[in-house]
Amino acid sequence: MASHTPSQRYLSTRGGSHGLSFEEAVLKGLASDNGLFIPEEIPSLPPNWENDWLNFSFEDLAFHILSLYISPAEISPAALKDIIHRSYSTFRAPSITPTVTLDANRKIHLLELFQGPTYSFKDVALQFLGNLFEFFLVRRNEGKTGNAREHLTVIGATSGDTGSAAIYGLRAKKDVSVFIMYPTGKVSAVQEAQMTTVQDENVHCLSVDGTFDDCQDFVKALFADPQINKTQRLAAVNSINLARILAQQTYYFASYFSLIRSGSFNPSTDELRFVVPTGNFGDILAGYFAKRMGLPTAKLHIATNSNDILHRFWQTGAYEKHPVPDNSTTQQSSGIPADGSKAHPSGVRETLSPAMDILVSSNFERLLWFLAYEVYSSSSSSPSNLSIDERRQTASAKVLDYQTQLKTTGGFRVDPAMLDAARRDFTSDRVSDEETLATIREVYRWSASRDNNAAEKEGRRYILDPHSAIGLTASLRSISSSSSPQPPRTHYISLATAHPAKFSNAVHLALSSEPDFDFERDVQPDELRGLEELPRRVVHVRKEEGVEGVRGVILRGV
């Protein structure tokens, strides 16, 4: 593809596919070898980008960033701008993802990612992905009628927010059917209502009596299932779809420029850390892409709940579904024993932050590929004259070996050089339920008593959802452990991933004893009132029915 740069061509992390266009990678979602698509290389930012982009709107930033990954031979500039505009015109905030200063003295900021139609950060990517699907199908079906028209069957698994965001991004789209699986009883009442009360006939919700990981396994099994692939063109909506990662890069740049424009951040003297509550590693992977492109970022800080497979990896180099006893000083735990200082031995531990209750982080595979490409193609054990293709094959072989070990033995351990490379860009922390509730209370109280935060200036106290509280807890812990002189040079941008109304139980637990707290007045948006009383459309699936049962539901519903 001579019209495409390396960053506009895509390959599989496991080596079975390469040279794909953006359209092919988006519509396939998952590679035929079960790998995940990545660009052949992460692009560099253009010269003078900091000055040229400083006053760009969110839509302008999205266009210039995504243009580095999408060839104009595939989507013209005018068409891409239209897709972006339609995707973000649904957001409530004019800036799409506003950056709010919680504490100017300690340089603590929140990046509000919940201004979209479902009040979740997933809207940023899934509004865009829904419009991409529609654009590709309209183009492919031009002049076609009847059975000649292409139909897309979109399948996804959700621990809560992906499902509703995908549904709102795809509802009523022509020639698209969407099937979303979620674990029965393991999403919040609001999240379930947002999914199951949508009455559009192309939307189908499947309640599975298992965990999110079981739902995600069903998605991967369906992509590999020859029977359903004979009659259906499957597409992925989970963050295994690369378009989601690419779209999420924009808000990292938007927050950077927002701080500069505010006058509180000087890129010549200050440094920036992003703190990201994460389970499936997609949100923070977008930050890694942005950092690799050239966005000045000192560190990306991973914040997990008790399902801490990522935190344990950054402490030990072992990526294991179930932790093994380790008394070494490198094995650190941030939680308290009553909450379980490590992931529960029976599997996923249920927490107050259910969107992060994940045993295996799918997007971690993408990071492993880039680390392996760097480490094993430049080490002393590898010939320096390896071609780019040979270096890519080496990285893919390492990833395939890691994933095989994960599947067969439940985990793997990387070499010290890989762990060192991972630690260069990332740090990690783990936060308990008790700490999560304490932070929600602390921020509620301090936002009323301080005069240097945006929330109080707007006449309101700031209320966090539990996932956002995990990120802020990690930020506060990092600040308290810092040995740098005061005032600190480091600004912390903690990602606020969901509106607190979506997790009312956790908010009530944290704030019900506060004398002036009123959930209906202080938290509940009008759009979510009465949602749980609306009629529902949902199919219940037993885990024991396996992929055959899920396949049957899909084939009957298309």
Side-chain angles (χ1 to χ4, degrees):
M1 292 185 289
S3 58
H4 292 59
T5 66
S7 66
Q8 296 168 342
R9 299 190 298 263
Y10 297 87
L11 55 82
S12 167
T13 51
R14 303 190 190 183
S17 303
H18 57 87
L20 276 73
S21 68
F22 177 72
E23 180 176 355
E24 290 171 323
V26 169
L27 292 182
K28 285 180 180 291
L30 189 69
S32 56
D33 59 1
N34 284 326
L36 304 181
F37 290 117
I38 54 175
E40 290 184 356
E41 67 178 44
I42 296 176
S44 296
L45 293 170
N48 208 38
W49 67 276
E50 285 189 275
N51 290 327
D52 292 345
W53 294 7
L54 176 59
N55 294 305
F56 275 4
S57 68
F58 188 93
E59 290 185 17
D60 289 336
L61 283 173
F63 171 76
H64 282 81
I65 293 166
L66 291 168
S67 292
L68 298 174
Y69 294 92
I70 305 170
S71 169
E74 288 195 69
I75 304 179
S76 71
L80 181 58
K81 286 181 178 180
D82 179 64
I83 291 169
I84 291 169
H85 176 69
R86 287 188 287 113
S87 300
Y88 300 122
S89 62
T90 60
F91 281 62
R92 294 178 299 280
S95 61
I96 312 303
T97 56
T99 300
V100 174
T101 298
L102 275 185
D103 189 324
N105 291 333
R106 289 189 286 180
K107 297 178 171 56
I108 301 172
H109 316 276
L110 278 180
L111 176 53
E112 291 187 342
L113 303 177
F114 50 77
Q115 299 289 344
T118 70
Y119 292 82
S120 163
F121 83 97
K122 306 288 179 73
D123 289 322
V124 176
L126 286 166
Q127 286 291 304
F128 177 69
L129 183 59
N131 285 312
L132 269 182
F133 283 153
E134 183 177 53
F135 173 82
F136 290 141
L137 284 174
V138 167
R139 184 166 67 185
R140 286 166 171 253
N141 286 330
E142 186 176 359
K144 297 179 181 178
T145 59
N147 292 334
R149 295 182 65 84
E150 293 189 32
H151 185 91
L152 208 59
T153 301
V154 178
I155 56 176
T158 185
S159 54
D161 284 332
T162 292
S164 55
I167 287 168
Y168 277 65
L170 292 167
R171 61 189 302 182
K173 299 289 187 189
K174 196 171 184 179
D175 297 314
V176 178
S177 297
V178 55
F179 294 82
I180 297 296
M181 289 172 269
Y182 67 92
T184 305
K186 294 181 174 63
V187 300
S188 77
V190 172
Q191 289 172 320
E192 186 171 25
Q194 281 185 311
M195 291 186 283
T196 58
T197 59
V198 173
Q199 299 299 311
D200 298 79
E201 292 189 358
N202 72 322
V203 172
H204 309 268
C205 296
L206 285 67
S207 177
V208 180
D209 68 341
T211 66
F212 167 76
D213 292 272
D214 294 324
C215 297
Q216 192 157 248
D217 287 343
F218 279 144
V219 170
K220 293 179 179 179
L222 287 166
F223 273 97
D225 178 34
Q227 187 169 335
I228 197 169
N229 280 279
K230 287 180 182 177
T231 60
Q232 304 300 314
R233 180 174 191 135
L234 300 184
V237 75
N238 283 82
S239 56
I240 59 174
N241 196 305
L242 183 67
R244 284 186 52 179
I245 308 301
L246 302 184
Q248 287 172 289
Q249 293 177 94
T250 304
Y251 47 70
Y252 286 91
F253 287 89
S255 62
Y256 172 75
F257 287 121
S258 175
L259 285 190
I260 293 176
R261 291 193 302 268
S262 73
S264 65
F265 177 77
N266 185 341
S268 299
T269 58
D270 299 343
E271 70 174 28
L272 185 60
R273 294 185 177 220
F274 287 97
V275 185
V276 186
T278 191
N280 218 19
F281 204 72
D283 202 1
I284 199 164
L285 183 70
Y288 173 75
F289 274 37
K291 188 177 190 298
R292 284 280 302 269
M293 288 176 72
L295 181 68
T297 307
K299 290 287 184 180
L300 296 161
H301 193 80
I302 300 160
T304 77
N305 62 16
S306 1
N307 299 293
D308 60 350
I309 187 170
L310 291 168
H311 176 58
R312 286 183 281 115
F313 170 82
W314 258 269
Q315 301 305 306
T316 67
Y319 187 80
E320 298 167 323
K321 292 182 181 180
H322 309 306
V324 296
D326 187 344
N327 297 320
S328 70
T329 57
T330 59
Q331 178 72 30
Q332 300 173 359
S333 174
S334 308
I336 57 175
D339 189 56
S341 61
K342 300 181 180 68
H344 197 278
S346 65
V348 176
R349 183 177 178 84
E350 296 182 17
T351 74
L352 295 175
S353 46
M356 295 162 60
D357 291 347
I358 295 172
L359 196 61
V360 174
S361 302
S362 292
N363 281 289
F364 186 58
E365 179 173 337
R366 286 183 165 119
L367 177 66
L368 285 173
W369 190 94
F370 286 107
L371 296 178
Y373 182 85
E374 172 191 335
V375 170
Y376 294 107
S377 63
S378 60
S379 66
S380 58
S381 61
S382 299
S384 59
N385 60 349
L386 286 177
S387 69
I388 291 178
D389 285 342
E390 289 171 325
R391 295 173 67 186
R392 290 171 180 162
Q393 290 167 9
T394 298
S396 295
K398 293 298 295 186
V399 169
L400 180 59
D401 180 51
Y402 293 143
Q403 296 303 317
T404 301
Q405 290 183 59
L406 181 64
K407 184 176 182 178
T408 57
T409 68
F412 58 85
R413 183 180 291 272
V414 300
D415 295 334
M418 282 280 286
L419 184 57
D420 289 343
R423 286 173 171 170
R424 184 186 60 238
D425 293 319
F426 296 90
T427 52
S428 71
D429 214 334
R430 175 194 176 280
V431 177
S432 70
D433 275 352
E434 283 82 357
E435 291 167 319
T436 300
L437 294 174
T439 296
I440 295 173
R441 278 192 296 271
E442 179 183 355
V443 170
Y444 181 78
R445 292 169 180 171
W446 111 40
S447 64
S449 61
R450 295 180 184 268
D451 61 2
N452 61 350
N453 69 84
E456 180 61 14
K457 288 177 181 178
E458 294 171 8
R460 61 186 173 94
R461 297 189 180 197
Y462 207 96
I463 300 172
L464 297 166
D465 93 286
H467 306 80
S468 306
I470 286 175
L472 194 58
T473 303
S475 299
L476 294 168
R477 187 178 292 149
S478 179
I479 292 170
S480 65
S481 65
S482 173
S483 59
S484 61
Q486 298 296 321
R489 291 175 51 248
T490 302
H491 287 250
Y492 287 82
I493 296 182
S494 188
L495 274 59
T497 55
H499 192 282
K502 301 191 77 170
F503 302 95
S504 56
N505 288 337
V507 173
H508 275 297
L509 278 173
L511 301 179
S512 59
S513 61
E514 299 297 313
D516 53 351
F517 172 70
D518 185 305
F519 183 85
E520 289 295 321
R521 180 196 67 207
D522 299 335
V523 180
Q524 187 78 316
D526 291 339
E527 293 89 343
L528 299 183
R529 297 182 193 277
L531 193 64
E532 295 173 40
E533 280 71 54
L534 296 177
R536 304 197 177 203
R537 296 174 65 243
V538 60
V539 176
H540 295 277
V541 178
R542 295 193 304 274
K543 177 185 172 183
E544 64 197 46
E545 296 176 24
V547 70
E548 295 81 8
V550 177
R551 183 204 301 133
V553 172
I554 292 174
L555 293 178
R556 290 190 296 271
V558 172

